[in-house]
Amino acid sequence: MERKTNRREKECEENHSNSEGSEQDRDYKTSLITLNVGGYLYITQKQTLTKYPDSFLEGIINGKIMCPFDADGHYFIDRDGLLFRHILNFLRNGELLLPEGFRENQLLAQEADFFQLKVLSDAVKSRWEKEQLASRETTFLEITDSHDRSQGLRIFCNAPDFIAKIKSRIVLVSKSRLDGFPEEFSVSSNIIQFKYFIKSENGTRLVLKEDNTFVCTLETLKFEAIMMALKCGFRLLTSLDCSKGSIVHSDALHFIK
């Protein structure tokens, strides 16, 4: 009799446990929401979409705002499906994180306004204003010899990220001390200064690490900078020292987008 009772108790416990498990599964499934935004499907949790009270998404999820459904029963929102990933990431992270080179600030600000996310809208507009200000400021990079400032190159551009790209490549290769590259150098915010700069002599070479390509002499570095700029959508505004008769022989280059 005691053995039968224990068996019944065990079965009841198992049934109760299974019941709790199935309830948890149901609760978890109901907490997942699928959105069709402009033809792109996004699956996220209810708590993510309702993070900001009185937002458009919170209104939809809590039944305050009527929203149509697609053929599969998902909420359908007729907005930019690609940009919505940034809206969703903001809801998840609580901060604006955009990929490098993002150029759709105005569109994203409009999306933020539509979804009634003022915090995001303000963050996008602030980022946009900073980029506009930076684009009007000319940044330069000077590559020079610490003993002879006349030996070198100055690169001017209205995009700090482009200057940083050239600078990081030169510094990276300098640290690797590849064959023919000066071993001693110092770096400040806008200047790379070599103790013994490579002169335009036969057998000397300057190395930029992109596809492990050797770039020979200072003149070739100028061509390399021009090719990088054109590839990034910039144009050569002018050689700032045209008196020497050729871009190759100029001491400075000026790029603008």
Side-chain angles (χ1 to χ4, degrees):
M1 184 71 178
E2 184 178 353
R3 185 177 300 172
K4 291 181 180 179
T5 302
N6 289 339
R7 185 180 299 170
R8 285 199 192 97
E9 289 176 352
K10 186 175 182 181
E11 289 175 353
C12 288
E13 288 176 358
E14 289 177 352
N15 291 334
H16 181 69
S17 176
N18 291 335
S19 175
E20 285 185 347
S22 61
E23 287 178 5
Q24 289 176 354
D25 289 342
R26 282 196 298 271
D27 290 341
Y28 180 73
K29 288 178 181 178
T30 56
S31 71
L32 294 180
I33 306 293
T34 301
L35 301 175
N36 180 342
V37 184
Y40 290 81
L41 293 182
Y42 291 90
I43 301 176
T44 186
Q45 295 186 73
K46 180 178 179 180
Q47 63 190 49
T48 301
L49 298 175
T50 57
K51 185 174 183 179
Y52 289 89
D54 300 324
S55 69
F56 181 82
L57 292 169
E58 186 270 338
I60 288 176
I61 301 304
N62 290 328
K64 302 175 187 177
I65 299 175
M66 296 297 294
C67 180
F69 295 90
D70 66 10
D72 296 317
H74 307 313
Y75 291 105
F76 177 75
I77 304 174
D78 190 16
R79 301 300 296 185
D80 192 317
L82 284 174
L83 282 178
F84 186 75
R85 64 183 281 247
H86 304 304
I87 302 287
L88 194 55
N89 281 333
F90 175 78
L91 294 175
R92 290 166 174 159
N93 302 315
E95 61 178 322
L96 179 62
L97 300 171
L98 296 174
E100 184 180 352
F102 183 80
R103 290 291 181 268
E104 296 184 305
N105 293 299
Q106 188 173 5
L107 287 174
L108 184 56
Q110 289 179 345
E111 295 302 295
D113 288 338
F114 173 84
F115 287 104
Q116 299 170 23
L117 294 167
K118 188 177 185 304
V119 178
L120 174 58
S121 179
D122 291 343
V124 175
K125 290 173 183 176
S126 176
R127 180 182 187 273
W128 188 17
E129 289 171 359
K130 288 178 181 178
E131 286 186 353
Q132 292 293 311
L133 181 62
S135 68
R136 292 192 292 268
E137 296 177 353
T138 299
T139 307
F140 76 92
L141 173 65
E142 182 176 324
I143 308 164
T144 186
D145 188 320
S146 60
H147 298 284
D148 185 0
R149 293 292 292 273
S150 65
Q151 289 290 331
L153 172 66
R154 299 188 87 193
I155 300 173
F156 294 84
C157 185
N158 65 339
D161 56 342
F162 175 70
I163 293 294
K165 183 177 181 180
I166 295 180
K167 177 181 174 182
S168 63
R169 285 177 59 189
I170 296 175
V171 171
L172 176 66
V173 177
S174 302
K175 289 182 178 179
S176 68
R177 298 188 177 184
L178 298 177
D179 181 35
F181 205 95
E183 293 187 359
E184 297 183 49
F185 68 99
S186 61
V187 181
S188 66
S189 58
N190 294 96
I191 298 176
I192 301 177
Q193 193 171 71
F194 293 102
K195 186 174 181 180
Y196 299 107
F197 192 73
I198 294 176
K199 305 297 190 299
S200 300
E201 300 171 357
N202 294 332
T204 61
R205 56 190 178 184
L206 186 62
V207 186
L208 298 184
K209 194 171 186 179
E210 184 172 75
D211 301 325
N212 295 321
T213 303
F214 286 97
V215 179
C216 307
T217 75
L218 182 59
E219 283 70 23
T220 315
L221 171 59
K222 296 172 188 176
F223 279 120
E224 174 72 6
I226 292 172
M227 294 306 296
M228 284 180 63
L230 295 177
K231 187 177 180 180
C232 293
F234 294 92
R235 59 189 176 90
L236 180 63
L237 181 64
T238 181
S239 165
L240 296 185
D241 184 2
C242 298
S243 61
K244 297 189 178 180
S246 170
I247 292 176
V248 175
H249 297 105
S250 66
D251 296 328
L253 301 172
H254 192 172
F255 301 108
I256 193 169
K257 185 172 278 190

